[in-house]
């Protein structure tokens, strides 16, 4: 994994925290821990984690309330942990905006797999290769840098993400809606033609005098990063 995701564990059982931490750090994640809901929220706002593992039964503020507070302003992925397996608890969690739900006792290996899946749904680039290289072109996602013909070109963050996503799926055609879903999120409420604007800017910055690769429009379908002999 090239992006070392930050995971916040909000759980009052120290043994469970220790177990999750052991597996999470082995999987390459950075971990923060809170043993009650109020401290958990403080750490959430302080560290801006990539994912939260949240117990329901917590002192000071239960997991439901913590989830509500997070969802007031953030879309950070949340995996609920609980000893309760009733369907109504799962439904309540999903209604509040949790991304996944795991009942105790759980297999820590399964939790790691769910963390990876949830992070990938939230950001399809989180575990991507850090650097893509083509003739005359290098895209460094870790540093958010693009070099074309040995010159560093200034791109906006989302422009680099669009370009990287297309280039990492060379010669695969994506519709505008697929790009929106992957890179802006399924609940994006802005103008769908924002994709067209980003593609236009990418082309203007890269130029079109290149025999090896180009960002192409497939009329009536979408866009692709076309690479020669791939």
């Amino acid at each position: 994994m090239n992006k070392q995701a930050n995971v916040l564990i909000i759980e009052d059982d120290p043994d469970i925290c220790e177990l999750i931490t052991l597996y999470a750090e082995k999987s390459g994640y950075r971990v923060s821990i809170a043993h009650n809901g109020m401290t958990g929220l403080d750490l959430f706002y302080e560290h801006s984690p990539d994912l939260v593992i949240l117990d329901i039964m917590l002192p000071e503020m239960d997991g439901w309330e913590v989830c509500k507070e997070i969802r007031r302003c953030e879309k950070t992925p949340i995996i609920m942990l609980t000893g309760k397996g009733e369907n109504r608890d799962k439904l309540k969690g999903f209604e509040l905006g949790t991304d996944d739900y795991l009942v105790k006792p759980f297999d820590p290996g399964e939790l790691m797999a769910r963390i990876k899946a949830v992070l990938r749904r939230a950001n399809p680039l989180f575990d991507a290769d850090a650097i893509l290289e083509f003739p005359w072109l290098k895209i460094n996602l870790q540093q958010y840098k693009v070099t074309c013909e040995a010159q560093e070109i200034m791109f906006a963050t989302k422009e680099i993400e669009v370009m990287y996503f297309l280039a990492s799926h060379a010669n695969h055609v994506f519709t505008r809606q697929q790009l929106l879903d992957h890179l802006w999120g399924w609940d994006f409420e802005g103008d769908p033609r924002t994709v067209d604007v980003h593609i236009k800017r990418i082309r203007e910055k890269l130029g079109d005098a290149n025999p090896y690769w180009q960002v192409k429009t497939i009329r009536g379908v979408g866009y692709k990063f076309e690479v020669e002999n791939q």
Side-chain angles (χ1 to χ4, degrees):
M1 178 173 51
N2 293 298
K3 181 183 187 308
Q4 191 177 40
N6 295 307
V7 174
L8 171 60
I9 303 169
I10 308 178
E11 162 66 61
D12 62 339
D13 186 323
D15 291 332
I16 292 177
C17 288
E18 183 177 356
L19 179 65
I20 297 173
T21 299
L22 177 67
Y23 276 78
E25 290 182 343
K26 187 176 180 181
S27 297
Y29 303 115
R30 290 192 294 265
V31 177
S32 301
I33 297 172
H35 295 300
N36 64 70
M38 293 296 293
T39 302
L41 273 181
D42 289 341
L43 288 181
F44 177 83
Y45 292 121
E46 180 180 347
H47 296 301
S48 299
D50 297 290
L51 180 139
V52 177
I53 298 172
L54 179 61
D55 187 27
I56 291 179
M57 305 303 291
L58 292 168
E60 296 189 22
M61 175 185 285
D62 67 26
W64 303 128
E65 290 302 314
V66 173
C67 183
K68 285 180 185 177
E69 287 300 316
I70 291 174
R71 283 291 173 263
R72 287 184 197 279
C73 56
E74 299 291 345
K75 297 179 181 179
T76 305
I78 298 172
I79 297 177
M80 277 282 195
L81 292 182
T82 179
K84 297 179 180 179
E86 294 88 348
N87 283 335
R88 64 176 178 273
D89 292 311
K90 294 183 181 180
L91 290 174
K92 182 175 181 180
F94 289 132
E95 287 171 357
L96 290 175
T98 59
D99 298 85
D100 206 345
Y101 192 106
L102 203 56
V103 178
K104 300 175 187 176
F106 56 86
D107 178 353
E110 180 183 356
L111 176 59
M112 294 305 107
R114 291 187 182 223
I115 289 173
K116 187 173 183 179
V118 168
L119 283 170
R120 186 175 287 129
R121 287 201 302 270
N123 177 7
L125 302 181
F126 98 95
D127 64 346
D129 292 333
I131 298 174
L132 290 178
E133 292 193 67
F134 302 91
W136 300 357
L137 178 68
K138 182 190 234 181
I139 309 170
N140 188 325
L141 189 66
Q142 193 170 46
Q143 298 180 354
Y144 274 77
K145 288 183 179 179
V146 175
T147 304
C148 184
E149 298 184 51
Q151 298 272 333
E152 184 177 338
I153 301 175
M154 299 305 296
F155 280 88
T157 297
K158 189 58 73 175
E159 291 168 3
I160 292 179
E161 291 177 358
V162 171
M163 187 175 160
Y164 185 97
F165 184 80
L166 288 172
S168 65
H169 299 84
N171 294 326
H172 184 100
V173 180
F174 290 92
T175 67
R176 183 190 293 121
Q177 189 59 53
Q178 286 173 325
L179 291 171
L180 284 171
D181 291 345
H182 280 295
L183 297 168
W184 277 264
W186 62 269
D187 54 351
F188 175 71
E189 296 180 352
D191 187 343
R193 295 194 177 276
T194 188
V195 173
D196 305 336
V197 173
H198 282 75
I199 294 290
K200 182 175 182 289
R201 289 174 180 165
I202 289 169
R203 284 175 173 154
E204 289 173 347
K205 292 176 181 179
L206 289 178
D208 55 7
N210 190 298
Y212 301 107
W213 44 262
Q214 59 180 312
V215 179
K216 289 195 71 172
T217 299
I218 307 303
R219 190 173 297 278
V221 183
Y223 300 102
K224 73 173 178 177
F225 186 84
E226 186 172 86
V227 180
E228 183 183 346
N229 297 326
Q230 284 205 13

